[in-house]
Amino acid sequence: MEQTKKRNGFASGFGFILAAAGSAIGLGNLWSFPYKTSANGGAAFVITYILSVLVIGIVVMVAEIYIGKRAQANPITAYKKTHKNLGWLGLFAILIPFFIICYYSVLGGYTVKFALNSFSGNAGNVYSFVGNVGDVILFTAIFVVLAVIVVMAGVKNGIEKASKVLMPALFFILIAIAIYALCLGEGVSEGLNFYLNPNFAELGFEGILAAMSQAFFSLSLGMGIMVSYGSYAGKEIKVGKSVSMIALFDTLVALIAGLAIFPAVYHYQAVNPGSNLATGGVLLMFETMPLVFESMGALGQIVSLFFFAMVVIAALTSVISLMEVVTQFIIQKYKVNRKKAILIVAIITFAISIPIGISLGKVLNGDNSMLICGENWLDFLDKVTNVVLMPLGALGACIAIGWFTFKPNKKSDIFNPMSLHRQLEKDGLKLGWFGKIFAVMVKYVTPLLILVVEVVGVIDFIAPVVNGVRTFSLNGLGIVLTAYGLCAVAITIYFVLYKKHNTGCNADELELDKSTASEKEEVIENVIEEQAVEVATERTEEIKE
Ligand code: PFF
């Protein structure tokens, strides 16, 4: 059985690292990190962000990859294997990516359109693009098709191979553009000053929270992504080393992106005095950057092409990871082949992305007729998932590992992180000098910090500070209720549909690929054997209790 399971996964440790880094490095790095940094005290934000990556990000990522790796299965089965009552966390971890795909694909469509436009001289005008609903839908579809092609080819032949080519390409393009931007002369130091000027007063408590939730989003944490990728990692893949590399690449790309963007923007302002370009939100990427490139003449056209190609790559490798989580679950639970599963995922998410694209386009063109809770549909979903749901998912991963996976030998050991450390090592999670620290963090420190992010984030929605005074926001309440409503739906679906049923493991994928009858029989036997073991283990546990 072991052999059956090993066959569909990443071929190498470095392939795994690049694929996970591909998920992590996305629009969050190239675009939200730079503008959030500039808006929240520059270097003060960067320091807080790096601390968040160290004390929250790395711990949650180790926990998630480890949960997947030890189970070699989709998030529901994987969480069930941490504790028989925690499978609902897995469903939750599959639903969040489902919603993120819907809005991320719309932005992905924008990036494809702007990359293609760059061939013809100008990356484009965002207002006229979004005014044409047909174009928005078409380019969202093209982006989704690109992702589907990769996911359809499988983990080893699709995701891993694509990441091995695309991630180094992204890195080199980014470095080249950053060097070019830093050599522009006029305006460069003002740009750097705007981006990195350390201002702790400007950071404030809100900036700290923004840094923490940016860390979840940027590292693709708090949902099934790292659990699912971890499930394709073989025994030889070292969790600790992989996580440190993924976090390092992700943070470097985010930092360098700002070094490429702001010097270029300020150079433009210096050369065109009086111009006032947007330095945040969708407009930074799709209004400001095209103008900046256009002003650079013929060379700007090439830079523009490379810049938007890089953004397409970043968005694509991220959406691939989101699609893989949902696809893996459908394959294993419903026993359909990969092709069918990815088509189901793509068609449903694409259908939902259409009104999202229309709503964003309307708002950009000043038409507020399609809002939910005062936001365009994209920002609404973004807030529901990022601010409320992702921290909850991350909290779940820490609590599952810190408190539920292992039964301590003595009652007094329940609260002892060193006992957890010993059990983790025995179970195969060898983290070296970081092992003991990890045990303390995952059990106490990180969950507490995440709880603060969650609670303060929710309070800020319901009672935001306006002109220095806390006021009640019905729209904010709507966002919070939607998020918790989704949690309630996920838990209900889980207990009605999945609790008592087997949700499959990676071996099931092979069952569908096998062609000969005897091979099929062999795999079915394996799966039956596995189910029997699972039932027997659950019974034994029940009897013990
Ligand atoms: N980490 C990606 C980014 O920084 O853009 C976005 C993302 C991908 C978030 C996958 C969540 C996810 F599951």
Side-chain angles (χ1 to χ4, degrees):
M1 187 154 47
E2 197 50 29
Q3 190 196 6
T4 334
K5 282 185 184 176
K6 263 192 193 164
R7 277 177 45 197
N8 57 352
F10 291 104
S12 70
F14 197 54
F16 168 70
I17 291 172
L18 285 183
S23 169
I25 296 168
L27 297 174
N29 304 62
L30 297 183
W31 158 36
S32 10
F33 178 84
Y35 82 73
K36 283 184 184 165
T37 301
S38 64
N40 288 295
F45 181 87
V46 173
I47 294 169
T48 318
Y49 178 79
I50 292 175
L51 284 177
S52 310
V53 170
L54 292 176
V55 294
I56 303 182
I58 286 186
V59 176
V60 177
M61 198 186 283
V62 168
E64 290 189 356
I65 292 181
Y66 168 63
I67 288 171
K69 190 180 169 209
R70 71 195 287 273
Q72 298 283 301
N74 66 73
I76 295 190
T77 309
Y79 273 101
K80 266 187 187 170
K81 285 191 176 171
T82 64
H83 188 276
K84 66 179 191 323
N85 288 332
L86 288 184
W88 58 273
L89 271 173
L91 181 61
F92 185 76
I94 293 168
L95 276 182
I96 310 177
F98 176 85
F99 287 110
I100 298 183
I101 301 169
C102 304
Y103 72 77
Y104 212 83
S105 304
V106 173
L107 294 171
Y110 280 35
T111 64
V112 174
K113 169 74 176 164
F114 279 63
L116 290 178
N117 275 356
S118 303
F119 278 110
S120 58
N122 183 323
N125 177 306
V126 71
Y127 302 104
S128 63
F129 170 57
V130 298
N132 184 341
V133 174
D135 257 12
V136 173
I137 297 174
L138 173 70
F139 283 94
T140 305
I142 295 176
F143 180 76
V144 169
V145 168
L146 289 176
V148 165
I149 292 171
V150 177
V151 178
M152 204 182 264
V155 175
K156 191 164 36 180
N157 295 324
I159 299 176
E160 184 169 359
K161 275 200 179 138
S163 307
K164 276 183 167 166
V165 178
L166 295 176
M167 294 323 290
L170 179 148
F171 203 67
F172 285 121
I173 297 176
L174 180 64
I175 302 271
I177 296 181
I179 292 175
Y180 174 72
L182 289 169
C183 294
L184 282 170
E186 235 177 316
V188 168
S189 56
E190 287 82 354
L192 290 177
N193 191 35
F194 172 79
Y195 175 39
L196 290 173
N197 180 28
N199 184 341
F200 283 89
E202 220 174 74
L203 175 69
F205 198 56
E206 275 193 8
I208 296 177
L209 281 179
M212 288 182 176
S213 58
Q214 173 68 17
F216 288 122
F217 186 76
S218 188
L219 293 168
S220 303
L221 299 175
M223 61 195 98
I225 311 288
M226 293 300 164
V227 179
S228 172
Y229 275 21
S231 82
Y232 293 122
K235 279 216 170 80
E236 68 289 355
I237 288 174
K238 302 221 166 24
V239 178
K241 186 180 142 216
S242 307
V243 169
S244 46
M245 302 274 278
I246 298 163
L248 180 70
F249 288 156
D250 188 65
T251 307
L252 273 182
V253 168
L255 277 169
I256 299 173
L259 297 181
I261 290 176
F262 291 117
V265 173
Y266 272 73
H267 173 70
Y268 177 95
Q269 319 243 56
V271 179
N272 300 279
S275 56
N276 191 13
L277 299 181
T279 50
V282 180
L283 295 181
L284 167 63
M285 183 67 88
F286 299 109
E287 184 189 33
T288 300
M289 293 318 285
L291 282 174
V292 170
F293 295 134
E294 195 183 12
S295 76
M296 292 172 179
L299 188 58
Q301 195 175 328
I302 299 170
V303 181
S304 172
L305 177 61
F306 278 105
F307 179 82
F308 282 106
M310 167 181 82
V311 186
V312 172
I313 293 174
L316 193 63
T317 46
S318 294
V319 97
I320 283 168
S321 70
L322 292 160
M323 285 187 172
E324 176 59 31
V325 180
V326 192
T327 305
Q328 179 197 36
F329 169 65
I330 293 183
I331 295 171
Q332 294 173 14
K333 167 71 192 155
Y334 296 102
K335 308 275 189 287
V336 294
N337 63 29
R338 178 166 278 273
K339 200 164 152 195
K340 250 193 214 145
I342 179 65
L343 286 178
I344 295 170
V345 176
I347 290 170
I348 299 178
T349 51
F350 173 64
I352 301 176
S353 73
I354 294 175
I356 297 177
I358 297 175
S359 158
L360 178 63
K362 280 185 183 247
V363 170
L364 282 175
N365 273 326
D367 170 355
N368 284 342
S369 60
M370 232 178 122
L371 300 181
I372 308 180
C373 296
E375 308 277 352
N376 69 66
W377 288 33
L378 190 144
D379 283 339
F380 170 74
L381 266 183
D382 180 60
K383 289 188 170 159
V384 165
T385 51
N386 296 358
V387 185
V388 190
L389 297 181
M390 283 166 90
L392 279 187
L395 185 64
C398 292
I399 294 191
I401 290 298
W403 297 91
F404 285 95
T405 309
F406 304 102
K407 284 214 173 88
N409 302 328
K410 297 180 276 168
K411 269 228 159 106
S412 57
D413 272 347
I414 293 178
F415 299 99
N416 181 1
M418 289 312 119
S419 147
L420 173 66
H421 164 63
R422 282 190 293 276
Q423 282 167 312
L424 284 167
E425 285 222 317
K426 221 164 90 194
D427 195 52
L429 182 66
K430 303 231 167 16
L431 296 171
W433 62 268
F434 183 59
K436 287 185 181 155
I437 302 176
F438 173 76
V440 178
M441 301 293 287
V442 82
K443 208 167 169 80
Y444 293 107
V445 184
T446 309
L448 272 176
L449 286 172
I450 299 176
L451 208 58
V452 173
V453 177
E454 174 72 14
V455 171
V456 180
V458 165
I459 293 175
D460 273 349
F461 269 137
I462 301 177
V465 180
V466 182
N467 299 329
V469 186
R470 279 222 180 260
T471 37
F472 171 69
S473 162
L474 193 59
N475 284 335
L477 181 67
I479 291 173
V480 172
L481 288 181
T482 310
Y484 289 141
L486 279 174
C487 296
V489 170
I491 295 174
T492 314
I493 296 179
Y494 175 77
F495 281 102
V496 174
L497 293 182
Y498 302 126
K499 165 105 173 65
K500 296 224 160 59
H501 301 279
N502 191 306
T503 34
C505 62
N506 286 356
D508 297 352
E509 288 199 35
L510 278 158
E511 181 189 353
L512 297 153
D513 293 339
K514 293 270 184 176
S515 48
T516 68
S518 65
E519 280 173 329
K520 260 188 190 151
E521 262 169 32
E522 180 203 325
V523 176
I524 289 170
E525 265 170 29
N526 284 339
V527 173
I528 292 173
E529 188 190 317
E530 173 147 322
Q531 288 174 354
V533 172
E534 213 172 275
V535 171
T537 324
E538 278 189 14
R539 290 257 165 84
T540 326
E541 270 180 36
E542 274 165 19
I543 292 166
K544 268 194 211 155
E545 278 168 14

